[in-house]
């Protein structure tokens, strides 16, 4: 998976040369700074930690933003062709790495209780769906339609399932994941051995994540289409803002309409990766990407600004390595370090955070220098 640059991983260049769109890498880099910083914390503040069920906290946004940006990046990489053979190989590697990652995090190597779903497995499912989708459509309109269909399907599943729950509300004890994932993988092989009543990266959540990624692919194709017209970065403003507004409207509709029909709205929440949550995040990502596009992909972008964001660009070019690698390092530290070491790290966790961010940035910069990237 670690390969020298090719057509889809060429060195970044100004928009006029037909190279990569720098803003995507820089925005991914900003997201990774947050991700690495949070992963390095021994104790995460409660106000930032994952919401227990409904609602959205800061940490709930990190992976969905990553997935949305992945969809955008895959839209760039596959706007002309999809390498099915290479894709199959990467999916297998991601699935295998996900199993090892689960074992590291849980410090449990018994196959009888191995958790089969996981973050990397969910990511593999998203990459597979978006890649196969590019065999059907390679246009922004097509990907907006895919986003709409996925959102409506997942909303319908959640709304219909909720009618079977006490009070008509999705809870830890009554939700699609609590039924589907144990039935497919076995209760001993899902999140917490099935005790929480759902798996946040189980099969149902893949559908929600695909909503995020499809929306990202739509934005990616809009940026590519605007650039191909040769009218500069401003040509992307109206299309991307229209897409962001449409995602925001869909987020509201997928929450409210089920309430009108069944009496209970579909909540915005990360635990089940609901469409209102996925689409709202996609709307925000679209606006941030557009701002970055206007600043960094214009023909007259100052060279000083390009040099200033180069470390973020380097992080973004190896987002897969940095995002998941920082998770693995954290898991190893938490499970291998003794109480005294953990206490010292906690007392100086802000210094540790700074060191972690600088270390991963330095590694990404070195790899970027030699054009070596870990591709999705």
């Amino acid at each position: 998976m670690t390969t020298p640059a090719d057509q889809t991983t060429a060195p970044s260049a100004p928009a006029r040369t037909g190279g990569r769109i720098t803003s995507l890498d820089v925005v991914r880099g900003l997201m990774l700074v947050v991700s690495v910083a949070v992963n390095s914390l021994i104790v995460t503040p409660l106000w930032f930690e994952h919401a227990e069920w409904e609602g959205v906290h800061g940490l709930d946004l990190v992976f969905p933003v990553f997935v949305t940006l992945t969809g955008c990046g895959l839209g760039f990489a596959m706007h002309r062709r999809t390498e099915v053979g290479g894709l199959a190989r990467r999916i297998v590697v991601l699935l295998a790495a996900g199993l090892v990652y689960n074992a590291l995090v849980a410090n449990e190597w018994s196959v009888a209780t191995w958790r089969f779903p996981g973050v990397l497995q969910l990511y593999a499912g998203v990459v597979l769906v978006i890649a196969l989708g590019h065999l059907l459509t390679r246009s922004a309109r097509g990907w907006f339609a895919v986003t709409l269909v996925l959102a409506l399907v997942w909303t319908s599943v959640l709304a219909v399932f909720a009618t079977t729950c006490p009070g008509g509300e999705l809870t830890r004890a009554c939700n699609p994941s609590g039924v589907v994932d144990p039935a497919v993988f076995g209760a001993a092989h899902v999140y917490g051995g099935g005790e929480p009543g759902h798996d946040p990266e189980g099969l149902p959540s893949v559908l929600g994540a695909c909503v995020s990624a499809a929306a990202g692919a739509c934005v990616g194709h809009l940026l590519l289409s605007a650039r191909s017209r040769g009218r500069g970065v401003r040509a992307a403003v109206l299309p991307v803002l229209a897409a962001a507004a449409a995602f925001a409207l869909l987020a509201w509709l997928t929450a409210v309409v089920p309430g009108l029909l069944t009496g209970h709205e579909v909540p915005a929440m990360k635990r089940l990766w609901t469409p209102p949550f996925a689409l709202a995040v996609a709307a925000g990502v679209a606006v941030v990407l557009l701002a970055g596009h206007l600043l960094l992909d214009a023909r007259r972008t100052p060279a000083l600004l390009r040099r200033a964001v180069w470390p973020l660009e380097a992080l973004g070019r190896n987002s897969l390595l940095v995002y998941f690698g920082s998770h693995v390092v954290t898991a190893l530290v938490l499970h291998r370090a003794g109480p005294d070491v953990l206490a010292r790290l906690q007392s100086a966790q802000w210094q540790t955070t700074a060191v972690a961010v600088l270390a991963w940035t330095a590694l990404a910069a070195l790899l970027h220098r030699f054009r070596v990237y870990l591709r999705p």
Side-chain angles (χ1 to χ4, degrees):
M1 292 176 65
T2 304
T3 62
D6 57 14
Q7 281 188 325
T8 64
T9 54
S12 61
R16 65 179 180 274
T17 67
R20 291 176 65 93
I21 293 182
T22 304
S23 54
L24 173 63
D25 293 320
V26 172
V27 172
R28 280 195 296 209
L30 286 170
M31 181 275 303
L32 288 166
V33 169
V34 175
S35 176
V36 172
V38 172
N39 285 337
S40 67
L41 296 177
I42 303 301
V43 177
T44 305
L46 291 177
W47 57 268
F48 195 80
E49 185 58 89
H50 288 295
E52 291 187 4
W53 186 245
E54 290 189 21
V56 179
H57 290 180
L59 196 55
D60 293 319
L61 300 174
V62 178
F63 189 44
V65 168
F66 179 77
V67 169
T68 306
L69 293 172
T70 292
C72 188
L74 291 173
F76 292 162
M78 299 180 181
H79 72 286
R80 291 181 179 174
R81 60 190 175 90
T82 300
E83 296 181 2
V84 177
L87 170 69
R89 182 182 67 252
R90 291 195 291 274
I91 294 298
V92 171
V93 172
L94 285 170
L95 292 174
L99 290 175
V100 175
Y101 172 74
N102 285 349
L104 285 172
V105 170
N107 199 24
E108 174 59 66
W109 297 90
S110 172
V111 177
T113 56
W114 230 353
R115 180 188 171 205
F116 291 152
V119 180
L120 276 164
Q121 293 91 319
L122 182 148
Y123 185 78
V126 167
V127 172
L128 177 62
V129 169
I130 300 303
L132 294 178
H134 274 88
L135 298 177
L136 301 176
T137 179
R138 301 180 192 274
S139 70
R141 289 183 179 180
W143 276 103
F144 182 80
V146 172
T147 304
L148 177 62
V149 170
L150 289 173
L152 292 178
V153 168
W154 187 215
T155 300
S156 299
V157 170
L158 292 171
V160 171
F161 194 96
T163 62
T164 68
C165 298
E169 294 185 0
L170 297 167
T171 64
R172 286 182 179 274
C174 187
N175 63 81
S177 177
V179 174
V180 173
D181 292 318
V184 174
F185 302 113
H189 297 289
V190 296
Y191 186 63
E195 293 177 5
H198 79 290
D199 193 307
E201 290 92 37
L203 288 176
S205 291
V206 173
L207 188 54
C210 286
V211 175
S212 295
C218 174
V219 174
H221 282 283
L222 284 174
L223 293 176
L224 286 172
S225 177
R227 184 175 65 168
S228 68
R229 298 170 190 165
R231 292 186 296 176
V233 296
R234 293 184 180 180
V237 172
L238 289 180
V240 174
L241 286 181
F247 294 151
L249 177 60
L250 283 174
W252 179 75
L253 289 174
T254 53
V256 172
V257 172
L260 297 177
L261 298 176
T262 67
H264 294 277
E265 297 184 355
V266 172
M269 57 187 297
K270 164 61 172 62
R271 290 297 186 183
L272 292 177
W273 210 311
T274 60
F277 170 74
L279 292 164
V281 171
V285 169
V287 173
V288 173
L289 265 177
L290 177 61
H293 187 56
L294 295 174
L295 282 173
L296 300 172
D297 296 318
R299 295 182 179 181
R300 296 182 180 180
T301 299
L304 181 61
L305 179 57
R306 288 190 176 279
R307 287 193 289 270
V309 300
W310 190 87
L312 293 175
E313 182 184 353
L315 281 169
R317 290 299 300 273
N318 258 308
S319 58
L320 188 65
L321 170 66
V322 176
Y323 185 85
F324 291 110
S326 62
H327 279 76
V328 171
V329 170
T330 298
L332 291 174
V333 170
L334 290 177
H335 291 293
R336 303 295 173 84
D340 293 340
V341 174
L342 290 177
R344 287 197 296 270
L345 289 175
Q346 183 177 347
S347 65
Q349 66 177 5
W350 298 113
Q351 295 92 321
T352 303
T353 295
V355 170
V357 171
L358 290 174
W360 282 105
T361 303
L363 175 60
L366 179 64
L367 295 175
H368 186 34
R369 177 76 175 178
F370 291 98
R371 302 180 184 179
V372 176
Y373 309 105
L374 191 69
R375 298 186 300 164

